[in-house]
Amino acid sequence: MPDIAANLAAVNKRIAAACDRAGRAPDEVQLMAVGKKFTADIIAEAADAGLTLFGENRIQEARVKIPECPGHLRWHFIGHLQTNKCRDAVELFSMIHAVDSVHLAAELNKRCDAAAKVMPVLLEVNVSGEGTKHGFAPKAAVEAIGAFDDFPQLELHGLMTMAPFTRAPESTRPHFAKLAEVRTACEDALGAPLPELSMGMSSDFEIAIEEGATLIRLGTSLFGPRAAAGKD
Ligand SMILES: *Cc1c(COP(=O)(O)O)cnc(C)c1O
């Protein structure tokens, strides 16, 4: 069993220090625990330690696990969503972080309409331009904003990105700064604020906070390493 309470205390200190460096209040940054590949028992430990917001990146895993977890937890979907899984996503989650096409948004809107739900969503932006990553190119994200006029069941709350994996966290800074820049352009296109920037993982969350993250998504630094089998 990982000592989640101790890990959380250490993480909270690092969040507070990063906020301090950036002149931000710690309550401007929400901590999401990414418990993918960990069992409901471990999630319950994390809940006991005080965590309330959890992220999952696979619908199949979430469908089994979420009903086994404490009922007061909030769940966000952070993975690549396939259109044929939108119905489950709408049922299980209270925010979808990685809307990466207008086609997906249209399908989500349809499923939310059928379920009489309004879903907060973030647009995933591929700021690094890596071919292996999902997400809108920065310019395409700005252009996609107008399409959301047709999706009354979706509430745009902001943007999400994943920085390239690196052993040198400092090298992620320009990517996070870029997401903040794209956010401003999207706000201009929308004519309304987009408060959320979902960016920063275990290896780079302090840099993300310094660049304006409002939601950081931490797995390894809370739960320890995941089993190597399978893809994240
Ligand atoms: C797994 C995952 C995380 C957490 O990764 P860690 O490096 O373990 O903190 C964050 N965001 C997304 C989208 C993920 O899939």
Side-chain angles (χ1 to χ4, degrees):
M1 235 343 154
D3 188 346
I4 297 171
N7 293 345
L8 176 59
V11 158
N12 276 334
K13 265 197 201 138
R14 292 170 62 189
I15 292 172
C19 284
D20 199 45
R21 286 195 294 279
R24 304 180 63 200
D27 67 3
E28 292 174 36
V29 181
Q30 279 198 81
L31 169 57
M32 171 200 293
V34 181
K36 64 191 185 197
K37 300 214 174 114
F38 289 95
T39 61
D41 288 351
I42 306 270
I43 302 290
E45 286 278 309
D48 283 346
L51 289 157
T52 55
L53 175 61
F54 288 81
E56 288 289 331
N57 72 335
R58 302 201 152 222
I59 294 292
Q60 250 169 314
E61 180 178 343
R63 203 162 43 198
V64 177
K65 183 156 67 177
I66 291 177
E68 296 174 346
C69 288
H72 68 283
L73 306 181
R74 289 179 298 134
W75 296 90
H76 287 184
F77 190 70
I78 61 174
H80 172 61
L81 184 58
Q82 291 164 306
T83 47
N84 64 355
K85 305 252 169 73
C86 283
R87 192 207 309 233
D88 285 318
V90 166
E91 189 185 314
L92 292 164
F93 293 96
S94 61
M95 185 185 269
I96 309 289
H97 278 231
V99 173
D100 57 7
S101 71
V102 171
H103 176 65
L104 173 62
E107 184 62 23
L108 265 177
N109 183 69
K110 193 166 103 190
R111 293 298 171 187
C112 286
D113 193 40
K117 271 196 183 180
V118 172
M119 179 64 77
V121 299
L122 307 178
L123 291 191
E124 180 175 9
V125 183
N126 180 356
V127 284
S128 66
E130 281 181 301
T132 52
K133 284 205 156 54
H134 294 287
F136 290 95
K139 201 162 156 268
V142 179
E143 287 163 6
I145 295 292
F148 280 76
D149 287 347
D150 295 335
F151 307 142
Q153 306 306 118
L154 305 184
E155 254 174 20
L156 259 180
H157 282 223
L159 306 180
M160 177 268 201
T161 200
M162 288 174 82
F165 177 78
T166 166
R167 292 186 196 287
E170 189 56 38
S171 69
T172 60
R173 189 182 297 281
H175 302 294
F176 295 141
K178 176 76 182 178
L179 192 70
E181 224 179 273
V182 176
R183 185 248 301 260
T184 304
C186 286
E187 287 179 330
D188 290 346
L190 184 66
L194 289 167
E196 303 289 1
L197 286 180
S198 168
M199 58 187 195
M201 305 174 29
S202 292
S203 57
D204 54 22
F205 69 90
E206 287 146 304
I207 311 283
I209 289 171
E210 289 172 22
E211 297 302 325
T214 63
L215 264 165
I216 57 172
R217 311 178 306 264
L218 304 189
T220 312
S221 53
L222 292 170
F223 295 99
R226 291 178 286 277
K231 184 173 164 268
D232 283 337

